[in-house]
Amino acid sequence: MGGTITSKKPLCLGNKKKFCIALNLHYLCSLKADYERTMIELIPAIDLIDGKCVRLTQGDYDTQKIYHTDPLEIAKVFEDNGIRRLHVVDLDGAREGRIINYHVLERIATHTTLVIDFGGGLKSDHDLEIAFASGAQMVTGGSIAVKEPEKFLSWLKRYGSSQIILGADAKYKKIAINGWQNTTEKTLIPYIESYQRQGVRIVICTDISRDGMLQGPAVDLYREIRETLPDIYLIASGGVSSVDDIEALVAADIPAVILGKALYEGKVKLKDLARFGI
């Protein structure tokens, strides 16, 4: 991947809270119209280790493969090809339990207009403040929502459902935490439903058994979630290997999908995504 783009100011910084909330509400409202027109929102992922763009297989750090040493260049290519949204994961942070790669986040936010959700290692109020101040418009809470639900709910109350995303990553329908290194006894759909009752609107769900395997997404699982919880804005993640896989998610009425290894390995080409309205 390669490409250049002129530098732009970030859409918002954490110290401009009212503007950031208004921006995200506008963005979420626009999703409905976009969803009706394009059928599915396409969200490329940039996973970070040591400031580099990498991918793992099934969350195993020993399978790390570096795709680019400068994630900003990757982000610019996405933006040049019509992508509006980006999913950035601090894998160092997920393993260490604190935000680490925020300088990379800041560079991407400063030099693109991509709407960025950021996750990995967010465990404290200070971590969240750093993420928002570095240019994230949304943050994803995964392990924290399992281990410290009161703190996660305090973030939801403080920042609102347009900025706080629930990360519900599962292996065989059981929620996994700590960079997917540990599986809990919490069952996926009841877990999501419990947080929906407390105000969560956006959920990223990764089927860990399929992540990075390029063997197709867990369409039946995502369909089940949609049928059980139709008001959740569900973002599917893991397993996409072709444009046909995206079409299958569209047919299952899934609102959004994260694209990772399929893009980096050339299984899905950015030019082929035009059919989805980007």
Side-chain angles (χ1 to χ4, degrees), residues 225-237:
I225 296 172
R226 282 287 287 163
E227 290 173 352
T228 306
L229 305 169
D231 293 330
I232 286 290
Y233 190 83
L234 178 64
I235 303 172
S237 176

Side-chain angles (χ1 to χ4, degrees), residues 101-252:
N101 285 291
Y102 59 91
H103 292 301
V104 179
L105 167 63
E106 186 173 33
R107 288 186 69 229
I108 296 173
T110 301
H111 295 290
T112 75
T113 59
L114 294 165
V115 174
I116 303 170
D117 76 76
F118 183 83
L122 302 177
K123 298 291 188 292
S124 68
D125 293 344
H126 185 56
D127 286 333
L128 240 65
E129 290 164 3
I130 292 173
F132 284 128
S134 298
Q137 281 86 13
M138 311 172 192
V139 299
T140 301
S143 299
I144 190 71
V146 174
K147 297 161 73 174
E148 297 184 62
E150 296 84 2
K151 183 178 292 292
F152 179 80
L153 289 171
S154 74
W155 294 349
L156 188 64
K157 182 177 180 180
R158 178 180 176 184
Y159 295 100
S161 59
S162 67
Q163 290 187 272
I164 303 297
I165 300 172
L166 175 65
D169 302 330
K171 191 169 187 178
Y172 306 115
K173 294 189 177 183
K174 295 295 184 180
I175 294 293
I177 58 174
N178 299 331
W180 302 350
Q181 297 175 84
N182 306 107
T183 303
T184 73
E185 292 303 311
K186 294 184 180 294
T187 304
L188 178 62
I189 293 179
Y191 175 74
I192 296 173
E193 187 173 20
S194 69
Y195 270 114
Q196 182 189 32
R197 289 196 298 267
Q198 298 180 84
V200 163
R201 293 171 60 192
I202 310 171
V203 175
I204 295 175
C205 180
T206 303
D207 184 330
I208 298 167
S209 67
R210 295 176 184 253
D211 187 71
M213 299 300 290
L214 298 175
Q215 295 178 353
V219 177
D220 290 341
L221 173 63
Y222 299 132
R223 183 184 292 111
E224 182 182 358
I225 296 172
R226 282 287 287 163
E227 290 173 352
T228 306
L229 305 169
D231 293 330
I232 286 290
Y233 190 83
L234 178 64
I235 303 172
S237 176
V240 170
S241 63
S242 66
V243 170
D244 287 344
D245 287 339
I246 301 173
E247 295 281 12
L249 292 168
V250 171

Side-chain angles (χ1 to χ4, degrees), residues 33-45:
D34 286 348
Y35 179 54
E36 290 170 351
R37 183 177 69 254
T38 66
M39 301 176 289
I40 194 165
E41 184 183 23
L42 305 173
I43 309 172

